[in-house]
Amino acid sequence: GKEAALRLEIRLLGSPTIRRGGEPVTGFRSAKAQALLYYLAARSQPVMRATLLNLFWAEGAEEQGRTNLNQTLSNLRKVLGDVLLVTRQAVALDLQQVQLLDVRELAAAAHRAQTLAVELLLEAAALYRGDLLEGFQVRDAAEFELWLGGERERLREAAITLLVEAARRHEAAGDVARTQQALRALLRIEPWRESAHRQLMLLLARNGARDAALAQYAALRQALAGELDVEPD
């Protein structure tokens, strides 16, 4: 109904977008305000104010940092309405008011990849439109950058887990098209992944696409030379 239409859609994988009722949410006072919201969304649990100060305002005086945090929270409330739960100690995003949060859905699906229905594996992996907060930059936030690096790695691994499982199960079921789809998606994330190239070459060769299999080998050689400066096994 109307309430569902006003819930937030938060996509942080690839270039970040926040929408409400299909419309982009705008009016953020700074890149740090956006970064703070993205962090709260990705954490999906209450975060201590001290943690937020350390992530975004560790460089300056503590008093100034507190002022910046308060101004940022008040800007986020203005932009988002009552989506933030703020106490004197902590801040959280009210997940009841969030309709879609891609990072959370991807991680949850990867966690149960082996028991997930086969048709849901590719669907979940499709949430991974690129690295976490691709192209997004924020200055003077070293701790945030550090967190972002680790989180990017974790979510990339989650997508890879889903795609490896999708390729395995679709191949076992004899579904050539979906196996190919999973392997190609995997190679977009990790072009140098030899096992995926090998599986794809075998699949193509077995299905009579010898030229495509040879082209795949050429792609593997190029990826390995570019990334790791080595030859294929």
Side-chain angles (χ1 to χ4, degrees), residues 191-203:
W192 56 90
R193 197 180 185 94
E194 263 191 85
S195 56
H197 282 280
R198 189 179 296 121
Q199 197 177 347
L200 190 49
M201 284 186 277
L202 284 168
L203 190 72

Side-chain angles (χ1 to χ4, degrees), residues 46-226:
V47 177
M48 301 304 281
R49 280 174 180 257
T51 302
L52 295 173
L53 285 171
N54 185 44
L55 281 164
F56 298 107
W57 293 283
E59 281 86 2
E62 194 177 338
E63 199 49 49
Q64 186 56 50
R66 282 210 191 91
T67 303
N68 285 330
L69 175 58
N70 286 331
Q71 287 174 346
T72 299
L73 291 175
S74 112
N75 168 244
L76 289 178
R77 281 172 135 164
K78 200 169 89 185
V79 167
L80 298 164
D82 59 352
V83 175
L84 288 190
L85 305 169
V86 180
T87 69
R88 292 184 64 151
Q89 275 79 41
V91 185
L93 193 63
D94 181 3
L95 294 170
Q96 299 292 314
Q97 300 192 54
V98 177
Q99 188 180 344
L100 172 101
L101 177 48
D102 60 354
V103 287
R104 204 162 174 233
E105 290 186 20
L106 181 83
H111 187 65
R112 27 182 256 276
Q114 284 171 338
T115 56
L116 213 57
V118 66
E119 64 276 6
L120 297 179
L121 290 164
L122 283 173
E123 196 181 301
L127 288 165
Y128 191 84
R129 297 175 308 139
D131 273 343
L132 180 65
L133 306 187
E134 210 166 81
F136 175 77
Q137 283 172 327
V138 61
R139 287 203 303 270
D140 306 324
E143 287 298 318
F144 174 75
E145 291 287 336
L146 204 62
W147 168 82
L148 184 57
E151 204 59 8
R152 274 183 176 156
E153 198 53 48
R154 184 179 79 86
L155 290 158
R156 191 184 294 133
E157 284 304 320
I160 287 169
T161 297
L162 287 163
L163 290 166
V164 166
E165 184 65 12
R168 187 182 73 74
R169 280 208 259 158
H170 282 304
E171 186 166 40
D175 189 333
V176 174
R178 283 204 177 82
T179 307
Q180 263 203 61
Q181 190 188 336
L183 291 169
R184 291 193 189 282
L186 192 54
L187 290 169
R188 277 196 295 277
I189 300 175
E190 266 194 0
W192 56 90
R193 197 180 185 94
E194 263 191 85
S195 56
H197 282 280
R198 189 179 296 121
Q199 197 177 347
L200 190 49
M201 284 186 277
L202 284 168
L203 190 72
L204 291 165
R206 275 196 210 109
N207 287 281
R210 186 179 150 77
D211 288 352
L214 290 169
Q216 196 56 46
Y217 181 69
L220 166 63
R221 285 190 66 165
Q222 197 178 346
L224 288 178

